[in-house]
Amino acid sequence: MKTIALFFTLFLILSCNQPERNCTDFKTGNFKFNYLVDGKEHVGHITRTDDLQIETYGTRVDSSEVRWVNDCEVIFRTINPKSMAERKDIHIKIITTTADSYTFEYSYVGEVAKQKGEAFKVD
């Protein structure tokens, strides 16, 4: 009986291994990310401060207000939206981190469909 209890305890401990998430390391800084347009890969850049994020996609620049929900989740609101789609806030959740990158999922606030991405710290 003790063997079964020990096995069950070890199983619980080993199965509860959570991915590393040092989200505070990525709250501010300069980042790069890859994205696709018409099947061609491009590199975008992000500069994030405590309350502002500036994203550069080729020649396009977007600025958003930053509001952290908790250490690993943030809401972005476009400062000067030019379309109805840009008026929708974006929710990002950091899923895992490494020393110099983070994997995240994102969606418009209130929508179920989520996309995934990865950003790399460059400073």
Side-chain angles (χ1 to χ4, degrees):
M1 188 62 135
K2 287 184 180 181
T3 306
I4 293 173
L6 179 62
F7 175 76
F8 183 71
T9 303
L10 285 173
F11 174 77
L12 283 176
I13 291 170
L14 295 175
S15 66
C16 293
N17 188 14
Q18 296 292 321
E20 183 177 352
R21 288 195 334 167
N22 295 320
C23 302
T24 56
D25 293 347
F26 301 97
K27 282 190 165 186
T28 62
N30 294 306
F31 308 92
K32 69 177 180 176
F33 61 97
N34 298 327
Y35 64 98
L36 293 176
V37 175
D38 297 327
K40 187 175 178 185
E41 190 170 291
H42 300 273
V43 177
H45 298 276
I46 298 170
T47 299
R48 186 180 308 135
T49 66
D50 288 329
D51 56 356
L52 180 68
Q53 175 163 299
I54 301 169
E55 298 178 41
T56 305
Y57 307 87
T59 60
R60 182 179 173 160
V61 178
D62 287 333
S63 299
S64 301
E65 295 174 354
V66 174
R67 181 174 53 90
W68 286 92
V69 177
N70 59 47
D71 283 344
C72 294
E73 295 181 63
V74 63
I75 305 288
F76 296 115
R77 174 170 287 175
T78 303
I79 292 176
N80 293 311
K82 294 174 180 57
S83 68
M84 289 302 289
E86 289 180 359
R87 292 180 191 267
K88 295 181 180 180
D89 293 351
I90 297 175
H91 175 256
I92 292 181
K93 180 178 181 179
I94 296 175
I95 300 169
T96 62
T97 64
T98 67
D100 61 352
S101 70
Y102 64 94
T103 303
F104 60 94
E105 64 181 19
Y106 64 97
S107 66
Y108 288 114
V109 171
E111 292 190 11
V112 177
K114 297 187 183 328
Q115 302 289 323
K116 286 192 176 181
E118 185 174 21
F120 301 88
K121 198 159 191 168
V122 292
D123 64 8

Tab-separated table of all heavy atoms in Angstrom, residues 30-60:
chain	number	residue	atom	x	y	z
A	30	ASN	N	13.084	46.261	-26.028
A	30	ASN	CA	13.006	46.216	-27.486
A	30	ASN	C	12.956	44.759	-27.912
A	30	ASN	O	13.735	43.938	-27.417
A	30	ASN	CB	14.218	46.909	-28.119
A	30	ASN	CG	14.221	48.385	-27.824
A	30	ASN	OD1	13.250	49.077	-28.095
A	30	ASN	ND2	15.311	48.877	-27.254
A	31	PHE	N	12.044	44.463	-28.837
A	31	PHE	CA	11.804	43.094	-29.261
A	31	PHE	C	11.687	43.035	-30.778
A	31	PHE	O	11.400	44.031	-31.427
A	31	PHE	CB	10.502	42.559	-28.644
A	31	PHE	CG	10.437	42.728	-27.160
A	31	PHE	CD1	9.861	43.859	-26.604
A	31	PHE	CD2	10.950	41.769	-26.307
A	31	PHE	CE1	9.801	44.024	-25.236
A	31	PHE	CE2	10.893	41.924	-24.939
A	31	PHE	CZ	10.317	43.065	-24.394
A	32	LYS	N	11.888	41.835	-31.322
A	32	LYS	CA	11.622	41.601	-32.740
A	32	LYS	C	10.765	40.353	-32.841
A	32	LYS	O	10.759	39.495	-31.957
A	32	LYS	CB	12.908	41.471	-33.548
A	32	LYS	CG	13.708	40.226	-33.272
A	32	LYS	CD	14.930	40.145	-34.162
A	32	LYS	CE	15.696	38.868	-33.842
A	32	LYS	NZ	16.833	38.682	-34.715
A	33	PHE	N	10.023	40.261	-33.948
A	33	PHE	CA	9.169	39.115	-34.182
A	33	PHE	C	9.019	38.911	-35.682
A	33	PHE	O	9.207	39.848	-36.463
A	33	PHE	CB	7.798	39.289	-33.522
A	33	PHE	CG	7.031	40.476	-34.040
A	33	PHE	CD1	6.082	40.321	-35.031
A	33	PHE	CD2	7.280	41.747	-33.536
A	33	PHE	CE1	5.392	41.424	-35.518
A	33	PHE	CE2	6.592	42.842	-34.009
A	33	PHE	CZ	5.639	42.685	-35.011
A	34	ASN	N	8.709	37.705	-36.085
A	34	ASN	CA	8.499	37.387	-37.495
A	34	ASN	C	7.006	37.318	-37.772
A	34	ASN	O	6.233	36.872	-36.925
A	34	ASN	CB	9.145	36.046	-37.852
A	34	ASN	CG	10.642	36.087	-37.656
A	34	ASN	OD1	11.276	37.111	-37.856
A	34	ASN	ND2	11.213	34.968	-37.264
A	35	TYR	N	6.598	37.761	-38.952
A	35	TYR	CA	5.198	37.661	-39.364
A	35	TYR	C	5.134	37.416	-40.863
A	35	TYR	O	6.089	37.683	-41.590
A	35	TYR	CB	4.414	38.920	-38.960
A	35	TYR	CG	4.862	40.191	-39.635
A	35	TYR	CD1	4.187	40.670	-40.748
A	35	TYR	CD2	5.954	40.921	-39.153
A	35	TYR	CE1	4.599	41.848	-41.377
A	35	TYR	CE2	6.363	42.090	-39.781
A	35	TYR	CZ	5.675	42.544	-40.884
A	35	TYR	OH	6.078	43.701	-41.508
A	36	LEU	N	4.020	36.861	-41.312
A	36	LEU	CA	3.847	36.521	-42.715
A	36	LEU	C	2.889	37.476	-43.399
A	36	LEU	O	1.856	37.829	-42.843
A	36	LEU	CB	3.298	35.104	-42.861
A	36	LEU	CG	4.205	33.954	-42.431
A	36	LEU	CD1	3.466	32.631	-42.541
A	36	LEU	CD2	5.468	33.918	-43.276
A	37	VAL	N	3.228	37.880	-44.623
A	37	VAL	CA	2.347	38.644	-45.496
A	37	VAL	C	2.421	37.994	-46.866
A	37	VAL	O	3.504	37.927	-47.460
A	37	VAL	CB	2.748	40.134	-45.570
A	37	VAL	CG1	1.884	40.863	-46.582
A	37	VAL	CG2	2.669	40.798	-44.215
A	38	ASP	N	1.288	37.486	-47.336
A	38	ASP	CA	1.230	36.800	-48.633
A	38	ASP	C	2.275	35.695	-48.741
A	38	ASP	O	2.928	35.530	-49.770
A	38	ASP	CB	1.393	37.800	-49.788
A	38	ASP	CG	0.274	38.819	-49.830
A	38	ASP	OD1	-0.857	38.466	-49.460
A	38	ASP	OD2	0.551	39.963	-50.235
A	39	GLY	N	2.455	34.945	-47.646
A	39	GLY	CA	3.381	33.826	-47.647
A	39	GLY	C	4.847	34.193	-47.509
A	39	GLY	O	5.704	33.324	-47.484
A	40	LYS	N	5.148	35.489	-47.413
A	40	LYS	CA	6.536	35.934	-47.279
A	40	LYS	C	6.782	36.383	-45.837
A	40	LYS	O	6.002	37.140	-45.269
A	40	LYS	CB	6.807	37.085	-48.243
A	40	LYS	CG	8.251	37.494	-48.287
A	40	LYS	CD	8.498	38.554	-49.332
A	40	LYS	CE	9.961	38.972	-49.298
A	40	LYS	NZ	10.231	40.073	-50.208
A	41	GLU	N	7.899	35.916	-45.276
A	41	GLU	CA	8.225	36.242	-43.884
A	41	GLU	C	8.899	37.603	-43.783
A	41	GLU	O	9.764	37.939	-44.587
A	41	GLU	CB	9.140	35.167	-43.290
A	41	GLU	CG	9.330	35.314	-41.789
A	41	GLU	CD	10.029	34.115	-41.186
A	41	GLU	OE1	9.428	33.035	-41.150
A	41	GLU	OE2	11.185	34.286	-40.747
A	42	HIS	N	8.449	38.379	-42.789
A	42	HIS	CA	9.005	39.701	-42.512
A	42	HIS	C	9.368	39.787	-41.036
A	42	HIS	O	8.924	38.979	-40.232
A	42	HIS	CB	7.982	40.798	-42.832
A	42	HIS	CG	7.536	40.813	-44.247
A	42	HIS	ND1	8.201	41.493	-45.236
A	42	HIS	CD2	6.479	40.210	-44.853
A	42	HIS	CE1	7.579	41.329	-46.384
A	42	HIS	NE2	6.535	40.548	-46.183
A	43	VAL	N	10.164	40.792	-40.677
A	43	VAL	CA	10.544	41.019	-39.279
A	43	VAL	C	9.934	42.332	-38.820
A	43	VAL	O	10.071	43.355	-39.485
A	43	VAL	CB	12.084	41.062	-39.119
A	43	VAL	CG1	12.454	41.371	-37.677
A	43	VAL	CG2	12.706	39.754	-39.552
A	44	GLY	N	9.245	42.282	-37.686
A	44	GLY	CA	8.685	43.474	-37.075
A	44	GLY	C	9.460	43.813	-35.814
A	44	GLY	O	10.172	42.968	-35.263
A	45	HIS	N	9.324	45.043	-35.355
A	45	HIS	CA	10.045	45.499	-34.165
A	45	HIS	C	9.069	46.138	-33.182
A	45	HIS	O	8.115	46.803	-33.591
A	45	HIS	CB	11.127	46.502	-34.558
A	45	HIS	CG	12.162	45.915	-35.462
A	45	HIS	ND1	13.234	45.201	-34.996
A	45	HIS	CD2	12.264	45.897	-36.814
A	45	HIS	CE1	13.964	44.779	-36.017
A	45	HIS	NE2	13.386	45.195	-37.144
A	46	ILE	N	9.332	45.938	-31.902
A	46	ILE	CA	8.512	46.489	-30.826
A	46	ILE	C	9.418	47.223	-29.859
A	46	ILE	O	10.468	46.709	-29.470
A	46	ILE	CB	7.780	45.377	-30.051
A	46	ILE	CG1	6.821	44.611	-30.957
A	46	ILE	CG2	7.050	45.953	-28.842
A	46	ILE	CD1	6.246	43.368	-30.316
A	47	THR	N	8.996	48.412	-29.455
A	47	THR	CA	9.609	49.117	-28.331
A	47	THR	C	8.513	49.301	-27.301
A	47	THR	O	7.463	49.885	-27.600
A	47	THR	CB	10.173	50.484	-28.759
A	47	THR	OG1	11.190	50.265	-29.745
A	47	THR	CG2	10.764	51.232	-27.577
A	48	ARG	N	8.712	48.772	-26.086
A	48	ARG	CA	7.679	48.811	-25.056
A	48	ARG	C	8.211	49.470	-23.790
A	48	ARG	O	9.270	49.109	-23.292
A	48	ARG	CB	7.204	47.398	-24.733
A	48	ARG	CG	6.027	47.357	-23.786
A	48	ARG	CD	5.566	45.936	-23.461
A	48	ARG	NE	5.335	45.149	-24.646
A	48	ARG	CZ	5.754	43.898	-24.804
A	48	ARG	NH1	6.429	43.283	-23.852
A	48	ARG	NH2	5.510	43.249	-25.923
A	49	THR	N	7.474	50.457	-23.288
A	49	THR	CA	7.747	51.071	-21.992
A	49	THR	C	6.637	50.633	-21.038
A	49	THR	O	5.796	49.811	-21.397
A	49	THR	CB	7.783	52.608	-22.100
A	49	THR	OG1	6.471	53.078	-22.446
A	49	THR	CG2	8.792	53.074	-23.140
A	50	ASP	N	6.609	51.208	-19.851
A	50	ASP	CA	5.586	50.833	-18.876
A	50	ASP	C	4.171	51.104	-19.372
A	50	ASP	O	3.243	50.389	-19.009
A	50	ASP	CB	5.806	51.574	-17.555
A	50	ASP	CG	7.016	51.049	-16.808
A	50	ASP	OD1	7.326	49.848	-16.933
A	50	ASP	OD2	7.656	51.840	-16.099
A	51	ASP	N	3.986	52.126	-20.194
A	51	ASP	CA	2.621	52.490	-20.602
A	51	ASP	C	2.437	52.696	-22.101
A	51	ASP	O	1.369	53.117	-22.540
A	51	ASP	CB	2.164	53.734	-19.853
A	51	ASP	CG	3.104	54.918	-20.040
A	51	ASP	OD1	4.147	54.769	-20.680
A	51	ASP	OD2	2.772	55.994	-19.528
A	52	LEU	N	3.447	52.376	-22.917
A	52	LEU	CA	3.356	52.596	-24.356
A	52	LEU	C	4.075	51.481	-25.115
A	52	LEU	O	5.141	51.018	-24.703
A	52	LEU	CB	3.987	53.941	-24.718
A	52	LEU	CG	3.985	54.346	-26.181
A	52	LEU	CD1	2.576	54.631	-26.664
A	52	LEU	CD2	4.857	55.577	-26.372
A	53	GLN	N	3.474	51.074	-26.244
A	53	GLN	CA	4.138	50.125	-27.138
A	53	GLN	C	4.093	50.694	-28.543
A	53	GLN	O	3.046	51.116	-29.018
A	53	GLN	CB	3.453	48.758	-27.122
A	53	GLN	CG	4.053	47.808	-28.143
A	53	GLN	CD	3.704	46.375	-27.890
A	53	GLN	OE1	4.056	45.842	-26.847
A	53	GLN	NE2	3.041	45.723	-28.831
A	54	ILE	N	5.246	50.689	-29.212
A	54	ILE	CA	5.350	51.138	-30.597
A	54	ILE	C	5.804	49.943	-31.424
A	54	ILE	O	6.853	49.359	-31.158
A	54	ILE	CB	6.344	52.313	-30.737
A	54	ILE	CG1	5.884	53.480	-29.877
A	54	ILE	CG2	6.482	52.720	-32.196
A	54	ILE	CD1	6.913	54.573	-29.729
A	55	GLU	N	4.987	49.572	-32.421
A	55	GLU	CA	5.282	48.439	-33.294
A	55	GLU	C	5.577	48.948	-34.689
A	55	GLU	O	4.866	49.810	-35.196
A	55	GLU	CB	4.095	47.483	-33.358
A	55	GLU	CG	3.739	46.869	-32.024
A	55	GLU	CD	2.528	45.961	-32.116
A	55	GLU	OE1	2.430	45.201	-33.110
A	55	GLU	OE2	1.700	46.017	-31.216
A	56	THR	N	6.600	48.395	-35.310
A	56	THR	CA	6.964	48.755	-36.673
A	56	THR	C	6.877	47.511	-37.544
A	56	THR	O	7.526	46.497	-37.260
A	56	THR	CB	8.397	49.327	-36.731
A	56	THR	OG1	8.492	50.414	-35.820
A	56	THR	CG2	8.738	49.792	-38.127
A	57	TYR	N	6.049	47.587	-38.589
A	57	TYR	CA	5.888	46.522	-39.586
A	57	TYR	C	6.284	47.114	-40.919
A	57	TYR	O	5.486	47.825	-41.528
A	57	TYR	CB	4.431	46.083	-39.712
A	57	TYR	CG	3.735	45.688	-38.453
A	57	TYR	CD1	3.095	46.629	-37.662
A	57	TYR	CD2	3.675	44.358	-38.086
A	57	TYR	CE1	2.414	46.247	-36.518
A	57	TYR	CE2	2.998	43.974	-36.949
A	57	TYR	CZ	2.367	44.928	-36.175
A	57	TYR	OH	1.697	44.553	-35.049
A	58	GLY	N	7.472	46.878	-41.380
A	58	GLY	CA	7.911	47.476	-42.641
A	58	GLY	C	7.906	48.991	-42.515
A	58	GLY	O	8.641	49.556	-41.720
A	59	THR	N	7.025	49.666	-43.253
A	59	THR	CA	6.944	51.133	-43.186
A	59	THR	C	5.808	51.613	-42.280
A	59	THR	O	5.656	52.806	-42.069
A	59	THR	CB	6.737	51.727	-44.586
A	59	THR	OG1	5.521	51.221	-45.127
A	59	THR	CG2	7.913	51.388	-45.495
A	60	ARG	N	5.016	50.699	-41.753
A	60	ARG	CA	3.877	51.056	-40.897
A	60	ARG	C	4.292	51.088	-39.435
A	60	ARG	O	5.008	50.211	-38.958
A	60	ARG	CB	2.759	50.049	-41.098
A	60	ARG	CG	1.547	50.378	-40.294
A	60	ARG	CD	0.442	49.387	-40.533
A	60	ARG	NE	-0.621	49.665	-39.598
A	60	ARG	CZ	-1.834	49.271	-39.752
A	60	ARG	NH1	-2.169	48.563	-40.802
A	60	ARG	NH2	-2.740	49.554	-38.847
